[in-house]
């Protein structure tokens, strides 16, 4: 059975597309791409149908990651169809826990709880900040966290 991961942030144009691309890359590098599917979505629908913010696309391109997905809002059925749903910050986790239908299958996890120092575990919203530094920071956090999560999965810990 293919396992499914959904990356969530507020708008689905900055952090979660980066997290999606990084997780896909992590899985491909582990040689198990056929066993996994990765997608992303937003808590809100403001950017539905749009490509990621140009700064997120630049960061992915700088790191050799391809990306062609478009933003969409999270749906009730996602909580049943995905095995792991990741939020980027505490607000995302509050929203996910509020939106999840009772008894749904998905594990709701904060991405930064894997592999990152406690003080660094929030993947902060970079949308309203000038420039690309906050996007690069989000990318670096995603690389560490996706690798740490995936090692835990492969060790059967989660
Ligand atoms: P993201 O960033 O949640 O990382 O995609 C945001 C993008 C857009 C908005 C907020 C956050 N917005 O309010 O439009």
């Amino acid at each position: 059975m293919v396992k499914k991961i959904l990356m969530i942030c507020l708008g689905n144009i900055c952090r979660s597309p980066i997290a999606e691309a990084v997780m896909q890359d992590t899985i491909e590098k582990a040689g198990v791409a056929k066993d996994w599917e990765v997608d992303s979505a937003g808590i809100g629908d403001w950017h539905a149908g749009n490509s990621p913010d140009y700064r997120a696309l630049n960061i992915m391109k700088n790191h050799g990651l391809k990306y062609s997905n478009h933003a969409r809002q999270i749906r009730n059925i996602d909580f049943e169809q995905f095995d792991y749903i990741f939020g980027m910050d505490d607000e995302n986790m509050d929203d996910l826990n509020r939106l999840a239908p009772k008894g749904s299958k998905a594990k709701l996890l904060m991405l930064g709880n894997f592999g990152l120092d406690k003080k660094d575990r929030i993947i902060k919203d970079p949308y309203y900040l000038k420039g690309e530094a906050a996007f690069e920071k989000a990318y670096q956090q995603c690389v560490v966290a996706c690798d740490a999560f995936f090692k835990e999965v492969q060790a059967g810990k989660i």
Side-chain angles (χ1 to χ4, degrees):
M1 268 277 269
V2 170
K3 290 267 186 188
K4 296 181 65 159
I5 295 171
L6 185 65
M7 295 298 187
I8 293 293
C9 63
L10 188 56
N12 194 207
I13 54 166
C14 300
R15 294 165 291 174
S16 59
I18 293 173
E20 177 190 354
V22 169
M23 187 64 89
Q24 184 66 41
D25 189 52
T26 304
I27 286 165
E28 283 172 17
K29 283 180 175 151
V32 291
K34 68 173 183 2
D35 300 327
W36 291 86
E37 271 177 41
V38 189
D39 193 6
S40 66
I43 298 292
D45 69 350
W46 314 288
H47 300 282
N50 292 352
S51 289
D53 185 283
Y54 71 97
R55 295 164 294 176
L57 288 172
N58 278 347
I59 293 299
M60 291 190 259
K61 199 166 136 211
N62 291 348
H63 292 284
L65 301 179
K66 290 205 176 74
Y67 194 85
S68 56
N69 207 357
H70 295 88
R72 71 171 178 89
Q73 189 174 29
I74 192 166
R75 306 181 275 255
N76 268 351
I77 195 161
D78 290 325
F79 292 95
E80 207 40 62
Q81 291 187 333
F82 284 84
D83 298 281
Y84 302 100
I85 300 182
F86 286 102
M88 303 293 134
D89 58 25
D90 291 322
E91 288 73 26
N92 294 165
M93 296 316 299
D94 288 347
D95 287 334
L96 287 172
N97 282 302
R98 179 176 52 79
L99 292 169
K102 265 214 170 78
S104 47
K105 170 176 98 172
K107 284 189 177 146
L108 308 181
L109 303 167
M110 195 159 87
L111 185 58
N113 280 342
F114 295 85
L116 292 166
D117 290 344
K118 203 157 189 187
K119 63 171 178 34
D120 214 25
R121 66 192 192 96
I122 305 292
I123 302 179
K124 289 184 186 154
D125 185 351
Y127 183 61
Y128 293 103
L129 302 174
K130 283 215 170 74
E132 292 183 4
F135 287 78
E136 174 65 22
K137 162 102 181 168
Y139 166 83
Q140 296 296 345
Q141 288 172 296
C142 288
V143 169
V144 173
C146 288
D147 184 62
F149 165 74
F150 206 62
K151 283 197 172 117
E152 286 203 22
V153 162
Q154 288 193 307
K157 288 189 191 160
I158 189 159

